[in-house]
Structure formats: structure tokens, C-alpha cells
Amino acid sequence: MTQAANPYLPEIATIIETVQETPTIKTFRVRLKNEKRMQAFSFKPGQVGQLSVFGTGESTFVINSSPTRLDFLQFSVMRSGENTAALHALEAGDELGVRAPLGNWFPYEQMKGKDIVFIGGGIGMAPLRTLLLFMLDNRKDYGKIRLLYGARSPEDMAFKYELPEWTSREDLDTVLTIDREAAGWEHKVGLIPNVLLEMEPAAANAVAITCGPPIMIKFTLQALKKLGFEDAQIITTLEKRMKCGVGICGRCNIGTKYVCIDGPVFSYAQLKELPNEL
Ligand SMILES: Cc1cc2nc3c(=O)[nH]c(=O)nc-3n(C[C@H](O)[C@H](O)[C@H](O)COP(=O)(O)OP(=O)(O)OC[C@H]3O[C@@H](n4cnc5c(N)ncnc54)[C@H](O)[C@@H]3O)c2cc1C
Ligand code: FES
């Protein structure tokens, strides 16, 4: 199943569980109320959904659960304005509107047989999480998988409940970092681009996927270039604001591309061909 017949019409979903990940990020695990639609729901890693709070508004979030684990759809929401504040007020049992799946996805087929380097900062770990879980569930299809995940402080680290597994798996090389020393922190301290340079991932036959705040992305790109990664080997997601999500309203366009249908996933090589409107 893909979108509902009318792409503007949200489907009603029930929140089955919430997790307060950090002081500003709350995760929602939801199921479509229409059980037949839920059973038939499928998506690809990197696709997004529009979540609506009735009477408030609608905004875009990546589906950060994996298509290989469809008990529920997971969205993690950083509080930034009106709609995200209204979402944060919702709890298990409440209903919201969902339009999903929308947008393109990570080119996971073309990544088969390659080494993968995930570099996530803050809420930027959400789009990486869906692909990471998908790859771990299809582990033999991929080469060495490395994850560098950074946040400002231990409290700002999302998905804490998964970190013990990610750091202990033999088939996943995980490095966690925070910006400044903190009591009890047993992992790295340092900015993501610097830690990436220390990790020295090999560029040959590798793909780097990076998401995070613009300043982190800027210096991470420089670090990846130093390590020998070509533009086409670097993939990111664009968070240019979306409205209709289906290529009609023109809210998200950059030149001739629409982030909602040509993206949000782009290689750095593709981004360089777009007009400088970001
Ligand atoms: C493809 C895509 C995927 C996204 N995935 C996630 C996700 O998984 N988790 C998450 O927390 N957020 C994600 N976002 C960002 C999220 O959509 C916005 O934070 C949200 O729309 C803000 O809504 P609001 O009503 O609370 O804020 P508003 O009241 O609309 O705005 C509050 C502030 O945030 C700024 N803002 C709003 N939307 C954006 C945006 N898209 N990019 C940059 N600044 C913005 C506004 O300029 C303003 O300063 C994603 C956005 C896109 C386009
Ligand atoms: S959000 Fe309407 S065209 Fe992309």
C-alpha cells in the first residue's frame, strides 16, 4: 500500500506509545486506525509522513522506524513551533492525522555490497535510524557499517534505549560523541567532524550518509572530502519546509526540483546542481 486515494486526506492514527527522548524531542509510535490499511502499509527507508494535530496544523517528519518492523510507525518530533508543541502535548491513546508515505528514499539497493558510514547529529539521527535498522535487518547485503552519532550533551542524545545494542554489536562500529565533557559519560568528547577525521573511514567502495544541523553538515562535508569521499558518495536529506507533500503547491521547490517528490534524499552531487536557494 502507498498513499491513501486522496493524498490530501489524512488517515486517522492512534498513538500507542510515546517516549520523551530528550528535553525537546518526543517520539510517537502510531498505528493507523483502519486495521486493513495498517496491515497493508509499506514504505521505504527515508520516506516521510505529514502529521496533523486537529485544529492546529500539519508538519513533516521522517518515518524513523524500519520498513522491516511494521508493528507501528515511529516519528520523533523536535519541539520548534506551534504544531510540534501541539504534538508534544499528545499522549498514548490520543489520535492524530497521518499522510504517508511521501517523498523518495535512500538508495539502499545501490548501496548493497558497499561500506556504509552513518554520521548523525541531534535530531538528524532520526532519518539515519530507519536506514540503519533496515540494514541491520538485511545485514549480509552490506559491507562494514560504521555509525558516528553526536549530540550536545548526554541528555540531548535520542534513542538511548538502542545505544547499548548499537555499541555492543560486533557487526556495527558505533562511536558516540558529545560536545563537552559531562559527568558519567564514557564515550567520545568532540565535535562530529573532528571525531569523523579521527575515525578515518575508508572512502573506497563506501557511501556516507549524514543528517544534522546545517553547521554540522557544512564541516562534516569538508571532513568527508578530506577523507577522499566524492560528491556522489555522500547522501543527505533536505528539510526544506513542505506543505502538500505531493508536488502540487510549489512550497518546497528549489529550481525545477520539488523536495517532496525529488527528495528529501539527495546526494551531495545532486545538491550541487541545484540553484543556491537553501
Ligand atoms: C523532509 C522533512 C523531514 C523532517 N523530519 C523531521 C523529523 O523527523 N523530526 C523533526 O523534529 N523535524 C523534522 N522536520 C522538520 C519539521 O517538519 C519542522 O520542525 C516542523 O514543521 C515545525 O513545525 P511547527 O509548526 O512546530 O513550527 P513552525 O511554527 O512552523 O516554525 C517554528 C520554527 O521552525 C522553523 N521551521 C519550521 N519548519 C522548518 C523546516 N522544515 N526546516 C527548517 N526550519 C523550519 C520556522 O522557520 C520557525 O523558526 C522535517 C522536515 C522536512 C521537510
Ligand atoms: S510541498 Fe507542495 S510541492 Fe512540495
Side-chain angles (χ1 to χ4, degrees):
M1 184 203 91
T2 54
Q3 291 162 23
N6 174 355
Y8 284 119
L9 195 64
E11 296 184 71
I12 308 297
T14 308
I15 299 169
I16 56 165
E17 196 176 3
T18 65
V19 181
Q20 191 69 48
E21 303 271 3
T22 75
T24 55
I25 301 173
K26 186 165 175 176
T27 283
F28 299 87
R29 297 178 177 151
V30 311
R31 285 184 66 86
L32 299 180
K33 266 189 102 173
N34 181 327
E35 203 44 48
K36 267 196 186 153
R37 295 273 301 159
M38 188 67 217
Q39 294 291 339
F41 190 90
S42 66
F43 70 102
K44 304 245 169 61
Q47 287 195 290
V48 301
Q50 292 278 30
L51 296 190
S52 45
V53 182
F54 310 123
T56 305
E58 187 179 50
S59 35
T60 318
F61 305 95
V62 68
I63 308 169
N64 74 62
S65 41
S66 169
T68 47
R69 308 177 188 190
L70 279 167
D71 290 347
F72 51 78
L73 306 179
Q74 176 161 311
F75 300 90
S76 300
V77 175
M78 174 167 259
R79 197 172 51 226
S80 68
E82 204 183 341
N83 201 45
T84 49
L87 276 163
H88 272 232
L90 300 181
E91 293 298 345
D94 289 337
E95 292 181 349
L96 41 66
V98 176
R99 292 195 294 128
L102 302 170
N104 73 349
W105 49 86
F106 291 108
Y108 59 89
E109 288 288 344
Q110 289 100 297
M111 294 182 196
K112 281 186 177 168
K114 301 198 174 185
D115 291 343
I116 311 291
V117 187
F118 288 100
I119 309 147
I123 187 66
M125 191 57 219
L128 303 191
R129 178 181 187 266
T130 175
L131 185 60
L132 174 65
L133 296 185
F134 176 85
M135 287 183 167
L136 292 177
D137 287 348
N138 293 281
R139 188 62 191 86
K140 63 178 185 347
D141 289 342
Y142 301 93
K144 189 176 170 83
I145 304 183
R146 306 184 80 176
L147 166 66
L148 168 57
Y149 173 31
R152 268 178 304 184
S153 68
E155 296 75 50
D156 292 312
M157 209 144 242
F159 313 121
K160 290 183 190 73
Y161 41 93
E162 268 156 350
L163 301 181
E165 186 197 333
W166 291 352
T167 49
S168 62
R169 278 183 79 125
E170 302 242 313
D171 57 357
L172 173 65
D173 175 17
T174 300
V175 175
L176 305 177
T177 186
I178 55 171
D179 291 356
R180 275 178 293 280
E181 294 280 356
W185 180 252
E186 289 169 353
H187 303 273
K188 276 262 173 211
V189 177
L191 297 177
I192 289 169
N194 300 338
V195 177
L196 178 64
L197 287 171
E198 282 172 28
M199 284 170 74
E200 268 188 295
N205 197 36
V207 179
I209 305 139
T210 184
C211 297
I215 187 77
M216 174 213 124
I217 296 290
K218 180 178 168 192
F219 290 105
T220 297
L221 286 174
Q222 289 177 8
L224 286 168
K225 303 299 285 181
K226 265 193 204 158
L227 292 164
F229 282 78
E230 303 287 341
D231 295 344
Q233 289 175 279
I234 305 171
I235 293 174
T236 189
T237 65
L238 277 193
E239 300 222 334
K240 194 159 161 75
R241 199 160 348 171
M242 288 169 35
K243 199 169 168 71
C244 72
V246 290
I248 293 172
C249 73
R251 179 72 179 82
C252 70
N253 78 299
I254 310 171
T256 56
K257 299 283 182 201
Y258 289 100
V259 172
C260 67
I261 47 179
D262 300 306
V265 175
F266 292 94
S267 71
Y268 189 48
Q270 290 170 321
L271 288 185
K272 278 180 127 176
E273 286 172 10
L274 298 180
N276 192 13
E277 294 172 9
L278 295 172

